[in-house]
Amino acid sequence: MESILFIETTISGSGREAIKAASGLGYTTILLTERMNIAKQRNEFEDVSQMIHLEKLSEDLIRSEISQLQQQGNIVKAIVSFVDPFVSIAAQLSNEFCGTSLSIEALKIMEDKTATRNALKENASSPKFDIYEPANDIEHTIQKDYTFPMVVKSAISKASKDVYYVENKFEMEQVIKKIIKLYPSQKIVLDEYLDGPQYLVEVLVHNGNINIVAIIKQEITKGIKFIVTGYAIELDFESELYKELVLAVESILKDLRVTFAACHLEFRYICGNWKLIEINPRVSGGAMNRMIEEAFGINLVEQTIKLYLGFEPNLIRKYEKPIYTHYITIRSCGYLLKVIGENKAAAQPEVKEVFIKPRLGVIMMPPLSMGHRYAYVIASGNTPKEAKANAVEAASNIKFYLEPL
């Protein structure tokens, strides 16, 4: 039995779709998960051939499970993860057990925001930054000459969690203390604040060849945190800007020595320069895979799996369609009593998908991270502007009814 082993998954989004893609390619799919809610929903994961629940996804336990699977006759062709923080360990084990050639060291650097900043400090796309070490005297750091506003974040932050906008030294000190309390041994990144349009770039690197699969403009809603609430696939990117962006992407990935990997980069365009916000060693989560599939006919997670298996991915666009995804957040806290409008939203013109994340009875709240986006609508149109209007209009039909806490 030729198998693909997945280390952790998400209930929906790119990580979940990757398992479906692997099953569709004819592989036995094996999932290791430490999430009890996934184990309890085993019947909803019909494309998972074998699910193994572990109390903790430690390297030792994962190695033990791989050995047992091989002894049982499983021919494990690749070990993959689309979920932080398991991407690099999955790649390391895949190279070791399956003979793949994934760029382990680069993936490890991408998982650590301080390592990323240090590795790219000479790169033209790197913003001004500083690193706070846990052993440092916080007063010494606060006394440094910084230009505000700044962005302060944990080295292992993801999905806008543990990322803070600060406007002065007092706020900086409070945020650093807050992060230290949560992660006593973690370094902290202090970035200059970059004010400009933000773009996400999905990339697959095969045998050193860098393939830009899609460029997506992001709409940021700034409340308590910076939350991306809108994604627009870029079809007609201005030629000079595109050339400069390609050069920036290539420069970054060459500095990191990436030869075989999937990743996505987030940039802001500032005063004629592309500045790197962050880079992550996987396909973006959420609706990203579905967006790219609707826009170009490319199943990115499927092509990523092919890359990880050692095959050359097929990234030829079958067509090009304007696509926009609108995410829904809420402004209050409470237990979810009911949701209305999903079917009405799905029936609106050019709507490709409506997804409602929370189940009845869960606690909902205003967004403190990307995980607090509770629904999305993907829509198309004759133009990017029309695609956005269709998505936003359809999303307006969706209402969440809460019981206050």
Side-chain angles (χ1 to χ4, degrees), residues 262-278:
C263 61
H264 69 271
L265 305 88
E266 294 183 40
F267 289 93
R268 285 202 173 187
Y269 189 65
I270 312 291
C271 301
N273 296 297
W274 288 103
K275 292 294 184 180
L276 181 69
I277 301 297
E278 64 181 49

Side-chain angles (χ1 to χ4, degrees), residues 43 52 55 87 95 100 106 126 133 157 162 181 197 199 207 214 277 295 299 334 369 372 395:
N43 63 326
I52 302 169
E55 289 300 318
V87 178
N95 285 2
T100 51
S126 179
E133 302 272 356
S157 67
D162 305 314
K181 188 174 182 179
Y199 295 84
N207 199 26
I277 301 297
N299 186 321
S369 75
H372 296 140

Side-chain angles (χ1 to χ4, degrees), residues 328 339-343 345 354-356 375-377 393-400:
I328 299 171
V339 185
I340 66 168
E342 180 179 0
N343 292 336
V354 176
F355 176 73
I356 308 294
Y376 65 72
V377 175
E393 176 63 26
S396 68
N397 292 287
I398 298 171
K399 307 293 182 186
F400 294 99

Side-chain angles (χ1 to χ4, degrees), residues 244-388:
E244 293 168 4
L245 180 58
V246 170
L247 289 174
V249 170
E250 291 177 343
S251 173
I252 289 166
L253 297 183
K254 286 176 181 176
D255 281 356
L256 294 178
R257 299 180 182 178
V258 181
T259 54
F260 283 92
C263 61
H264 69 271
L265 305 88
E266 294 183 40
F267 289 93
R268 285 202 173 187
Y269 189 65
I270 312 291
C271 301
N273 296 297
W274 288 103
K275 292 294 184 180
L276 181 69
I277 301 297
E278 64 181 49
I279 181 170
N280 293 286
R282 54 176 173 75
V283 176
S284 299
M288 187 55 62
N289 190 62
R290 288 286 297 116
M291 284 185 67
I292 293 172
E293 195 168 19
E294 291 290 347
F296 305 128
I298 297 170
N299 186 321
L300 183 54
V301 294
E302 178 181 302
Q303 298 308 318
T304 301
I305 288 170
K306 289 181 179 179
L307 171 84
Y308 279 34
L309 288 165
F311 302 117
E312 183 173 358
N314 179 4
L315 301 172
I316 297 173
R317 295 180 178 181
K318 297 181 177 66
Y319 44 77
E320 293 187 351
K321 295 179 184 176
I323 292 291
Y324 188 91
T325 297
H326 179 71
Y327 273 87
I328 299 171
T329 59
I330 62 172
R331 297 180 180 178
S332 56
C333 295
Y335 295 98
L336 179 60
L337 296 176
K338 67 176 180 178
V339 185
I340 66 168
E342 180 179 0
N343 292 336
K344 188 174 181 180
Q348 297 302 303
E350 298 294 343
V351 170
K352 303 301 181 182
E353 183 176 329
V354 176
F355 176 73
I356 308 294
K357 179 181 176 182
R359 301 190 176 215
L360 299 183
V362 303
I363 295 175
M364 299 173 63
M365 65 185 69
L368 297 176
S369 75
M370 299 288 203
H372 296 140
R373 301 179 301 181
Y374 293 115
Y376 65 72
V377 175
I378 303 175
S380 185
N382 293 318
T383 65
K385 185 176 180 180
E386 185 177 292
K388 178 179 178 179

Side-chain angles (χ1 to χ4, degrees), residues 48-60:
V48 174
S49 307
Q50 183 178 357
M51 183 182 293
I52 302 169
H53 179 258
L54 300 176
E55 289 300 318
K56 179 70 174 176
L57 284 172
S58 67
E59 184 175 340
D60 287 343

Side-chain angles (χ1 to χ4, degrees), residues 20-21 28 48 64 74 120 125 147 160 168 181 190 231 242 255 262 283-285 307 313 327 346 359 396:
K20 294 177 182 178
T28 297
V48 174
S64 176
N74 289 282
L120 297 173
S125 68
T147 300
S160 293
N168 52 56
K181 188 174 182 179
L190 312 174
Y231 296 82
Y242 179 76
D255 281 356
V283 176
S284 299
L307 171 84
Y327 273 87
R359 301 190 176 215
S396 68

Side-chain angles (χ1 to χ4, degrees), residues 1 105 111 149 174 235 238 242 254 264 281 328 389 396 403:
M1 296 182 293
E105 294 307 319
E111 285 180 335
Q174 297 308 302
L235 298 180
E238 198 275 317
Y242 179 76
K254 286 176 181 176
H264 69 271
I328 299 171
S396 68
E403 178 185 341

